[in-house]
Amino acid sequence: MTTPLAVATTYFEALEVGDFVTVAAQFADDVVWHQPGGNQFSGVHRGSEAVGAMIGGMMSVSEGTFSLKRSAPLMVNGDVVAAPVHWTGKRSGAEMDGAGIDVMRVAGGKVVEVWLFTADPAEEDTFWGRG
């Protein structure tokens, strides 16, 4: 069986190089994603299709520049993995440079739930556009 650390490592390695097929393969079909803030992507997204559409929307709004990287080692507590992250994005007339924590729960070798935390929700809301 694949460990939570292995699943999270595969997810972040794929995300960091823009391999969205591998990213999507890490999600359970009924994944639940909690996106912070008050922007167009905020809220709870249910199901791998909804999460994929959200990520695709972020790539579209950021004109393909959205990038997220781990800023410290992954930390594991049972089936939960925490990842300190740093992200950037640019689009016409705006730039974003943020920090946060991504927390994911892994079960059965798949990511089943994700909670994102951001250090500056106002910056993200401005960049992504109000919801």
Side-chain angles (χ1 to χ4, degrees):
M1 181 176 201
T2 303
T3 68
L5 180 59
V7 172
T9 298
T10 298
Y11 168 84
F12 282 105
E13 286 176 351
L15 189 61
E16 289 169 1
V17 298
D19 177 359
F20 296 109
V21 171
T22 299
V23 168
Q26 304 317 300
F27 297 134
D29 290 342
D30 59 350
V31 63
V32 178
W33 184 287
H34 304 268
Q35 184 73 25
N39 63 70
Q40 65 179 315
F41 301 114
S42 298
V44 178
H45 304 272
R46 297 181 187 279
S48 57
E49 285 186 30
V51 171
M54 178 198 62
I55 293 170
M58 289 175 158
M59 290 306 291
S60 179
V61 168
S62 70
E63 299 169 356
T65 66
F66 179 68
S67 173
L68 182 142
K69 304 224 183 283
R70 292 165 287 180
S71 57
L74 298 175
M75 295 166 270
V76 181
N77 183 346
D79 63 354
V80 177
V81 181
V85 295
H86 176 256
W87 61 85
T88 59
K90 295 179 182 180
R91 63 173 172 76
S92 299
E95 291 187 25
M96 175 177 64
D97 188 332
I101 303 288
D102 290 3
V103 176
M104 56 181 56
R105 187 168 62 85
V106 178
K110 296 287 185 179
V111 175
V112 296
E113 195 156 12
V114 177
W115 298 265
L116 303 185
F117 300 86
T118 179
D120 191 347
E123 177 188 32
E124 277 200 69
D125 289 346
T126 298
F127 183 83
W128 294 123
R130 292 283 175 184

